[in-house]
Amino acid sequence: MEGLFLPLLLMLVVAVPLIMGTRKQKRAMQQQQELQSSLNDGDRVMTTSGMYATVADASDETTIDLEIAEGVVTTWLRQAVREKIEPVVESDVDDESEDGDAAELTAADATESDSETDSERSKEGAQVAPPLEHGKK
């Protein structure tokens, strides 16, 4: 009996993580299938390559048409959709808090042009990087 305890314990230590990993993988696959089946026209999505797009046509079972720019529609496999992006909801409440003095100090330290660009970025809601020059002169 004592000779069987050590191999049995070793098998148990190896088997438990394998079973738990398999369950986690099955749960992730199920969530991904639910996401792909729930896509509708007009949904904002992100592909596995990191591209943001809007669903233009989701009627086919295997492919999906994504609008990547205004008037530019491409066809992708449904499996290429990584996640659905929820629209950003802007609040009407000012972001000023009781710690407004600290915000005023940091704004006073910044140059006027920096504060203008920060306010423009906050109005847009997203930061856009300038285009790369790729060594052109």
Side-chain angles (χ1 to χ4, degrees):
M1 183 77 177
E2 291 179 18
L4 223 71
F5 180 70
L6 187 59
L8 193 60
L9 183 62
L10 183 62
M11 288 175 43
L12 185 65
V13 167
V14 171
V16 168
L18 287 174
I19 292 171
M20 297 302 284
T22 304
R23 291 181 62 199
K24 184 177 180 180
Q25 186 178 13
K26 284 182 181 179
R27 187 172 34 242
M29 277 181 39
Q30 180 66 28
Q31 288 176 345
Q32 189 67 19
Q33 288 175 349
E34 289 174 3
L35 167 74
Q36 291 170 0
S37 64
S38 71
L39 293 174
N40 294 318
D41 296 352
D43 288 342
R44 286 287 293 168
V45 295
M46 182 175 73
T47 64
T48 55
S49 60
M51 185 178 62
Y52 292 91
T54 304
V55 176
D57 183 23
S59 61
D60 192 14
E61 290 182 18
T62 58
T63 61
I64 190 166
D65 290 340
L66 299 178
E67 183 176 17
I68 56 177
E70 191 171 328
V72 180
V73 177
T74 57
T75 303
W76 295 67
L77 288 174
R78 278 187 179 264
Q79 288 82 8
V81 176
R82 179 178 182 186
E83 63 185 275
K84 191 185 291 190
I85 306 298
E86 298 299 325
V88 177
V89 178
E90 295 182 19
S91 65
D92 294 336
V93 179
D94 290 335
D95 292 333
E96 295 180 23
S97 63
E98 294 178 7
D99 297 330
D101 296 334
E104 289 175 13
L105 290 176
T106 57
D109 293 338
T111 63
E112 188 173 318
S113 63
D114 288 342
S115 62
E116 287 177 10
T117 57
D118 290 340
S119 64
E120 289 172 4
R121 286 183 192 151
S122 65
K123 288 178 185 175
E124 293 173 8
Q127 296 180 355
V128 179
L132 298 175
E133 292 299 321
H134 299 292
K136 295 180 182 177
K137 294 188 179 195

